[in-house]
Structure formats: structure tokens, C-alpha cells
Amino acid sequence: IGVGRSGTTLLQCMLNAHSRIAFLPETHFIRRYGDNPRMARLVRRRGMAPLLSLMRQDADMARTGIDLEKFSESPDMRQWFCRLLEEYASARNADRVGEKDPKNIEHLPLIRQWFPNAQVIHLVRDPRDVMVSRLRAGWSRKRPFIFHLAACREQLLLGCRLGPELFGSSYIEIRYEDLVIRPRKTLRSLCLHLGMEFEPEMLNYMSQARELISEKERQWKENCFRPLLTGNIGKWRRELSPRRARRVEWVCAET
């Protein structure tokens, strides 16, 4: 989890390069289906069939490469999603499976309910740099500065509060700046927390980008196809006006 534009895709690619870990492409399953009251009512009334019909038309779900019909008899969304995760991991000979979506930071109570033994990695980045990135990305640049500022503050607070509260020692915070400046040391520490051995191949994250990043996402995730860019740290000094920088510092002071 992490505020959008915090580097979650970079870390996803690094973890996916581990021989024992498989990360789904970003399916948005939890926010679109799992924690969507309208979808829950639909499933209660009519079962999984209409939901599967919607998923078959969902380009993000199709990127998993899994035949959704294989699980059509599953009676509820949690069981269905668990089977999807298991199938995806099995197809890649992995014994750990990861789910990444920055918006999952808003759905931690459901994730705790569905996956009580999950390990949650919260990637935290300087919110001033987050704001610069959000104001440039294709999916977010048309929205006003104040929207991004409010979202950044609320999501940061949610992750920092609910992560340890719900997941205890299974929650860990990783700083984006550490990941970029000291990738080997940071990944070694993360692997130790996950109970796994560090693998040098994790630093070859660019090989994983094509599998996890769609063409439509490439415009704002292109840095995952490049070597680590230390110039992305502190770029707010060059690209954020002093007035906006002060606003971010004031609004996000708690984090």
C-alpha cells in the first residue's frame, strides 16, 4: 500500500523478481468488487454469475491470464479472490503472492478481515515529491491541487494509523527515499521482515515491468523501465512553488 505516486509499482516489480513471490498486475479487485457495497448487494441477490460477467469485460482482470470461469462455483467474493491468488502463484511456482493497489490503503479493515495473516508493506514518500508526481501523471494531472493534497494527507494518516493497529508486527513501513538510495540494504531488511532470503535478482526490477505494467499505465510508470532515479528525490525544490510547498508541509505535518 501507499499513496498514489509513492513508488509502489517500483517496489511491486522488485518483489515480483523474487523467485518465491508472485505479484498480480494491478487488478483493483478490492476497491471495484470486494469492498464495493453495490457489488456486495448484487452478489447477495444473484450470486457470483453477474459479477463474473462484469469481470470478463474488465481489462485489468484479464491481465492475470487466469480463466475466471474456473472459479465460477465459488460462493463468495473472498473465496473467489483467494482461489485467484492461489492459481496465479501456482502458475508461477511461487509460494507467496502479493496484491498491490495504492487505493488498498483505504480498505485495510476488509483486508484484515479477509487475510488476517497478511503482511502489509506501506511505502512512504515525501508528500511534497508525491504532489509533484501527481500533478504530472496522466491519470491525475487534471484534478486540482487541493484534491491531491487532501487525498495525500488522508491516505497517509490511514496507512500509518490502521496498518500497525490492524496488522501489528506484520506491518512495515519502507521509505521510498531509502529504496532508491540504498536499494540492496532496504530490500535485505524487507526480506528479513518477510521471512525470506534476499535475492540479487530483485534489483533487476526492469525485467518485471512489462509483465506488471500495461501500455495505458506506461506514461506515468515509465520510470520502472529505467535504472533507479535518485533525481526523483527532492524534485519538489525545483518543481513546486514555495507557496504550494508550504501548504503541503502544513497539511501533512502530522506525517
Side-chain angles (χ1 to χ4, degrees):
I1 62 171
V3 175
R5 307 307 298 158
S6 290
T8 52
T9 303
L10 172 64
L11 184 55
Q12 175 193 28
C13 290
M14 289 173 162
L15 289 167
N16 196 56
H18 195 288
S19 63
R20 292 176 54 202
I21 302 174
F23 258 85
L24 272 73
E26 204 166 320
T27 65
H28 312 114
F29 178 88
I30 290 176
R31 61 161 129 158
R32 283 184 187 165
Y33 306 105
D35 212 6
N36 183 326
R38 184 172 65 87
M39 294 295 177
R41 288 194 297 271
L42 180 66
V43 170
R44 281 198 300 269
R45 289 199 310 266
R46 301 174 56 192
M48 285 293 291
L51 191 68
L52 285 168
S53 179
L54 289 172
M55 287 187 206
R56 282 194 292 271
Q57 303 168 50
D58 189 328
D60 291 327
M61 291 297 299
R63 292 179 58 224
T64 64
I66 303 296
D67 180 7
L68 305 184
E69 295 299 329
K70 294 173 71 172
F71 318 133
S72 58
E73 75 279 6
S74 295
D76 61 63
M77 280 192 275
R78 177 193 175 279
Q79 188 179 63
W80 188 94
F81 190 50
C82 284
R83 291 188 62 183
L84 176 71
L85 292 169
E86 291 165 4
E87 182 82 9
Y88 190 84
S90 176
R92 285 154 181 78
N93 297 314
D95 52 23
R96 305 287 285 277
V97 64
E99 153 72 4
K100 176 260 178 183
D101 182 349
K103 292 283 281 186
N104 280 348
I105 208 166
E106 299 177 5
H107 303 280
L108 287 174
L110 179 77
I111 293 171
R112 176 67 175 81
Q113 179 184 334
W114 279 15
F115 304 104
N117 297 318
Q119 290 177 296
V120 173
I121 306 165
H122 184 189
L123 194 61
V124 179
R125 184 183 187 184
D126 186 325
R128 294 167 296 190
D129 280 335
V130 169
M131 291 300 294
V132 170
S133 192
R134 288 175 75 105
L135 291 169
R136 291 170 53 187
W139 65 270
S140 57
R141 62 188 174 205
K142 293 183 180 179
R143 286 180 164 171
F145 176 84
I146 193 68
F147 170 86
H148 294 303
L149 185 54
C152 186
R153 178 185 186 277
E154 292 307 310
Q155 290 180 344
L156 265 172
L157 287 173
L158 270 176
C160 292
R161 178 175 62 85
L162 288 182
E165 182 181 302
L166 294 174
F167 294 91
S169 61
S170 294
Y171 168 87
I172 187 173
E173 289 176 12
I174 300 291
R175 289 192 61 82
Y176 169 83
E177 292 78 11
D178 292 336
L179 186 65
V180 171
I181 295 172
R182 295 176 287 275
R184 185 179 293 268
K185 180 180 178 181
T186 304
L187 289 172
R188 280 187 184 278
S189 176
L190 177 58
C191 286
L192 182 65
H193 174 81
L194 297 175
M196 309 182 79
E197 292 287 331
F198 167 76
E199 294 181 358
E201 185 63 21
M202 297 174 75
L203 297 171
N204 185 26
Y205 60 89
M206 291 175 284
S207 64
Q208 305 297 313
R210 193 172 302 278
E211 177 183 350
L212 295 172
I213 299 172
S214 68
E215 280 303 313
K216 71 175 183 179
E217 295 172 318
R218 187 159 181 158
Q219 182 270 330
W220 62 88
K221 296 183 177 181
E222 60 184 354
N223 287 343
C224 292
F225 293 88
R226 301 171 179 170
L228 290 171
L229 300 173
T230 55
N232 272 348
I233 298 172
K235 63 183 178 181
W236 64 269
R237 293 185 173 90
R238 303 184 301 273
E239 301 186 37
L240 207 61
S241 72
R243 183 168 179 262
R244 283 186 163 181
R246 286 194 298 271
R247 282 188 174 185
V248 180
E249 290 163 1
W250 181 70
V251 171
C252 297
E254 290 173 80
T255 56

